[in-house]
């Protein structure tokens, strides 16, 4: 197969639900944390909707009946439950070969995530991905999604223009962030949000598996 010239110099990936198969565990941990502090258990849909947002806004959105004074405890209980399960989470099948192929094409590979810096570093270490990514931004060190600051900072760091930048994610927060930053996006349907919500945000493509994403990137990115 003859590959087309590279269209994007910088590719930014969301983490949870895009590269990391963590959606169900995060949803369950949010539900447990809300109940722990006396809130009504959010539905699966409500809990999964906030994945990708910065942690405290996400927990506040998922638990509207929990008073703000309990947010620190809510945060603590979420982290307690997540730590119990973090070793149960793994990369989606096919992610490492896809990243290796993109590195061979000399794309800058980055992560733009709603996780904390500590959480991302732990995930990178546990999945043996240290050194695979050229840069990253987390929600606790810049503005959370869908604010475009994460992408603006990554583009500035690598000297890449918006038209040469691609954001890949599994939520409307990811695709809205790309739109706000003037970047192209690709959605994946195997994560937190239903792909029928993606169309208004104009992704270039919606991948229904890592293999389909890999193939599209090699041909179109």
């Amino acid at each position: 197969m003859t590959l087309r010239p590279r269209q994007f110099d910088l590719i930014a990936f969301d983490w949870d639900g895009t590269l990391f198969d963590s959606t169900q565990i995060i949803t369950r941990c949010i539900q447990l944390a809300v109940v722990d502090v006396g809130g009504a258990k959010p539905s699966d849909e409500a809990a999964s909707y906030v994945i990708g947002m910065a942690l405290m806004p996400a927990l506040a959105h998922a638990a509207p009946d929990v008073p703000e004074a309990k947010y620190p405890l809510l945060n603590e209980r979420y982290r307690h439950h997540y730590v119990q399960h973090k070793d149960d989470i793994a990369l989606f099948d096919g992610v490492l070969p896809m990243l290796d192929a993109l590195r061979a094409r000399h794309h800058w590979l980055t992560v733009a995530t709603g996780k904390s810096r500590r959480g991302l570093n732990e995930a990178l270490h546990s999945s043996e991905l240290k050194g695979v990514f050229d840069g990253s931004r987390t929600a606790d060190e810049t503005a959370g999604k869908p604010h475009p600051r994460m992408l603006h900072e990554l583009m500035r760091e690598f000297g890449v223009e918006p038209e040469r930048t691609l954001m890949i994610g599994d939520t409307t927060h990811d695709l809205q962030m790309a739109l706000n930053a003037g970047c192209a996006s690709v959605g994946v349907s195997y994560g937190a949000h239903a792909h029928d919500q993606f169309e208004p945000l104009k992704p270039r493509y919606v991948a229904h598996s890592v293999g389909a994403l890999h193939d599209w990137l090699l041909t179109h990115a």
Side-chain angles (χ1 to χ4, degrees), residues 28-41:
R28 179 64 176 151
C29 290
I30 290 171
Q31 292 170 326
L32 290 170
V34 173
V35 172
D36 284 352
V37 301
K41 178 183 174 181

Side-chain angles (χ1 to χ4, degrees), residues 119-176:
L120 178 62
N121 286 349
E122 288 176 351
L124 288 170
H125 177 75
S126 65
S127 56
E128 299 181 346
L129 277 171
K130 279 189 172 180
V132 171
F133 294 99
D134 301 294
S136 60
R137 287 296 186 280
T138 60
D140 60 340
E141 61 191 12
T142 186
K145 301 171 185 178
H147 194 286
R149 188 179 301 162
M150 279 190 197
L151 290 177
H152 285 163
E153 291 180 357
L154 288 168
M155 288 187 286
R156 185 163 57 247
E157 178 178 343
F158 293 97
V160 178
E161 296 300 317
E163 60 269 19
R164 303 287 297 180
T165 300
L166 178 67
M167 176 68 204
I168 301 172
D170 68 310
T171 70
T172 55
H173 314 308
D174 298 311
L175 305 189
Q176 184 66 60

Side-chain angles (χ1 to χ4, degrees), residues 24-158:
Q24 290 185 353
I25 286 176
I26 292 174
T27 298
R28 179 64 176 151
C29 290
I30 290 171
Q31 292 170 326
L32 290 170
V34 173
V35 172
D36 284 352
V37 301
K41 178 183 174 181
S43 66
D44 289 354
E45 183 179 4
S48 64
Y49 173 78
V50 303
I51 294 174
M53 298 168 64
L55 180 60
M56 291 313 297
L59 294 178
H61 184 93
D65 59 334
V66 173
E68 190 171 348
K70 288 191 174 181
Y71 287 179
L73 179 59
L74 187 58
N75 185 1
E76 178 185 315
R77 295 309 299 167
Y78 170 79
R79 292 184 183 280
H80 167 80
H81 291 296
Y82 184 82
V83 165
Q84 309 307 308
H85 294 285
K86 68 179 183 178
D87 292 335
D88 301 333
I89 305 172
L91 291 167
F92 286 108
D93 288 343
V95 163
L96 284 176
M98 176 182 69
L99 296 175
D100 287 344
L102 293 172
R103 286 186 66 82
R105 290 269 299 273
H106 305 293
H107 298 277
W108 295 114
L109 300 183
T110 65
V111 174
T113 177
K115 298 180 80 65
S116 67
R117 171 53 60 188
R118 177 181 176 182
L120 178 62
N121 286 349
E122 288 176 351
L124 288 170
H125 177 75
S126 65
S127 56
E128 299 181 346
L129 277 171
K130 279 189 172 180
V132 171
F133 294 99
D134 301 294
S136 60
R137 287 296 186 280
T138 60
D140 60 340
E141 61 191 12
T142 186
K145 301 171 185 178
H147 194 286
R149 188 179 301 162
M150 279 190 197
L151 290 177
H152 285 163
E153 291 180 357
L154 288 168
M155 288 187 286
R156 185 163 57 247
E157 178 178 343
F158 293 97

